[in-house]
Amino acid sequence: MTVSGISVYFKDFDEKYIKDAAKAGARYVFTSLQISEQDYSNLDNQLHRLLEMSKEYGLEIIPDISPLTFEKLKIKKNDYNELKRMGFSSLRLDYGFDNLDLVKKLQKDFLIFLNASIITKTYLSKARKANINLDKIALIYNYYPHADTGLGWESFKKNLLKKEGLHTSAFVVGDLVKRFPIYEGLPTVERHRGMNPYVAAIELLHEAKVDNVFIGDSEATVETLKYINEYLQNHIITIPCNLLSEYKHLYNKEINIRPDQPENITRLLLPRKPNVGIRHNIVRHRGSIVMQNRLAARYSGEVYLVKHDLPFEARSNVIGFVGPEYVNIFDQINADIRIKLIPIN
């Protein structure tokens, strides 16, 4: 099942955010138990509360662990039974877990997530020879805190892991609270560092075919989480926009997309309307929402989204605009999905 997730760091621990995220549809909570800069002084209380909340709200906690984790938790080295006793049912194994026999052993007690950034064809070949059940292994890509260190988009899309049939997850930035100590966002892909996290998530899910998306930073808006979940659960792309007052009836409708799509516009499957008046004829910039007027004859009333800048045309009324941070989502719209226009907050 494809679901969304958030990240929780104990320096920024916020119970309200966890509750809101669960209500918005998030089902995974990623947390790191190996960050050297993190304050672990109140870890016992915060970790206990996080595990309590995971049961209360149906969340799966995925702790990112390394050999350093046992020291941070003040438990005996490699005491995985204690991790199980604490309440963890999943583990994300970061660097330092090359022992395939250990991975195979841990599969008996935990859902295992591996660091996708260090998995190679050679590793997968050895894993199969060791009889590790790859159907029960999931992969999570790293996030990259420092600007310019994230993965390249084109190479990411071509990664071998999807071709191997493995379940993959990746990170996008938060749009409320960036994570310490650099505060430059925590994306997997560098081009997403300055992008709206909802748009970045749709790119990962729709274009790169990633299975799950996590907010990497300490907090995202509830709206962002809801939009991501709406796509995951209902395959609807939500588009925040401003429509002229007489077209507000188009808000909150689930709109299908025509299967025969041209290059510059996205044609919507809405009823046409004869004799639409001629008004607001301006240059049709990328992000414009347009309705054809009576000069378009039988096309009067047809609505479309502008994907590339187009010149003024007397037959075309510009009836609204999509918020600038959401415009890139146009590139992910095709006949396999539906869209929903909503007013910008």
Side-chain angles (χ1 to χ4, degrees):
M1 179 182 177
T2 303
V3 296
S4 62
I6 60 169
S7 298
V8 170
Y9 308 101
F10 298 107
K11 182 178 183 298
D12 299 322
F13 189 76
D14 184 342
E15 290 193 17
K16 183 179 184 303
Y17 176 55
I18 298 169
K19 293 176 185 177
D20 289 345
K23 291 176 182 177
R27 286 296 169 262
Y28 284 144
V29 174
F30 178 87
T31 190
S32 180
L33 295 179
Q34 56 160 324
I35 302 174
S36 57
E37 301 92 345
Q38 183 157 264
D39 180 6
Y40 289 92
S41 60
N42 194 31
L43 180 63
D44 288 347
N45 291 331
Q46 291 174 323
L47 188 54
H48 176 72
R49 181 62 183 136
L50 179 60
L51 288 164
E52 275 187 340
M53 294 183 71
S54 71
K55 293 179 181 178
E56 184 178 356
Y57 292 99
L59 298 166
E60 179 77 22
I61 307 296
I62 305 174
D64 191 40
I65 70 168
S66 72
L68 181 66
T69 297
F70 301 96
E71 177 185 337
K72 296 291 185 184
L73 295 180
K74 298 178 183 178
I75 61 177
K76 188 170 70 174
K77 186 177 180 180
N78 298 329
D79 190 351
Y80 296 98
N81 287 330
E82 179 63 14
L83 293 179
K84 182 180 179 182
R85 188 199 65 77
M86 291 171 67
F88 293 113
S89 56
S90 298
L91 299 175
R92 196 259 190 169
L93 308 182
D94 200 6
Y95 298 93
F97 291 95
D98 299 324
N99 186 336
L100 293 174
D101 288 335
L102 175 61
V103 174
K104 185 177 179 180
K105 178 182 177 182
L106 291 176
Q107 276 192 310
K108 297 177 182 178
D109 293 317
F110 302 96
L111 173 60
I112 297 298
F113 292 81
L114 297 178
N115 180 349
S117 300
I118 60 173
I119 300 300
T120 64
K121 288 183 178 180
T122 301
Y123 183 97
L124 293 175
S125 177
K126 289 180 179 179
R128 290 188 176 98
K129 289 179 181 177
N131 293 319
I132 290 177
N133 186 350
L134 292 178
D135 291 335
K136 295 184 178 179
I137 291 282
L139 306 176
I140 301 180
Y141 281 88
N142 280 343
Y143 48 53
Y144 295 90
H146 197 293
D148 301 318
T149 63
L151 301 180
W153 179 233
E154 293 304 321
S155 60
F156 178 81
K157 288 191 291 183
K158 296 176 183 176
N159 73 82
L160 65 92
L161 303 172
K162 289 303 295 182
K163 295 177 182 177
E164 295 285 342
L166 297 172
H167 194 92
T168 57
S169 301
F171 293 92
V172 297
V173 302
D175 50 357
L176 271 186
V177 181
K178 297 293 192 288
R179 201 203 71 182
F180 65 93
I182 300 180
Y183 302 99
E184 292 181 351
L186 295 177
T188 292
V189 175
E190 185 60 35
R191 73 176 259 145
H192 293 158
R193 192 177 301 276
M195 188 180 289
N196 180 281
Y198 166 57
V199 178
I202 296 300
E203 277 199 355
L204 288 169
L205 294 162
H206 191 250
E207 191 171 338
K209 309 302 182 185
V210 167
D211 296 291
N212 301 318
V213 170
F214 292 78
I215 302 296
D217 282 302
S218 297
E219 191 169 350
T221 63
V222 173
E223 287 78 17
T224 291
L225 298 172
K226 287 180 177 178
Y227 299 162
I228 293 172
N229 194 59
E230 179 81 332
Y231 178 80
L232 289 170
Q233 302 305 316
N234 302 311
H235 224 49
I236 294 173
I237 288 182
T238 305
I239 305 179
C241 63
N242 280 319
L243 293 171
L244 297 178
S245 58
E246 59 264 48
Y247 301 103
K248 289 185 177 180
H249 63 279
L250 295 176
Y251 283 139
N252 297 307
K253 291 181 179 292
E254 294 180 9
I255 302 171
N256 290 311
I257 308 300
R258 286 179 60 114
D260 49 342
Q261 287 299 319
E263 183 176 359
N264 294 321
I265 63 175
T266 297
R267 300 173 71 187
L268 309 185
L269 271 174
L270 287 169
R272 292 173 181 170
K273 181 181 178 182
N275 299 315
V276 170
I278 303 168
R279 68 172 297 225
H280 212 235
N281 308 116
I282 58 176
V283 173
R284 296 163 292 164
H285 291 293
R286 173 173 164 84
S288 299
I289 303 170
V290 172
M291 178 180 286
Q292 296 296 81
N293 60 45
R294 64 172 178 264
L295 297 179
R298 66 187 180 91
Y299 290 93
S300 178
E302 179 167 311
V303 180
Y304 62 83
L305 312 176
V306 179
K307 294 190 287 186
H308 301 286
D309 288 351
L310 295 172
F312 161 86
E313 184 179 69
R315 296 178 297 179
S316 301
N317 298 346
V318 176
I319 65 170
F321 299 91
V322 172
E325 69 270 37
Y326 296 104
V327 168
N328 284 344
I329 212 165
F330 281 13
D331 300 329
Q332 306 306 319
I333 297 173
N334 60 30
D336 295 328
I337 60 93
R338 292 167 290 163
I339 68 166
K340 183 190 293 183
L341 304 175
I342 65 167
I344 294 176
N345 289 333

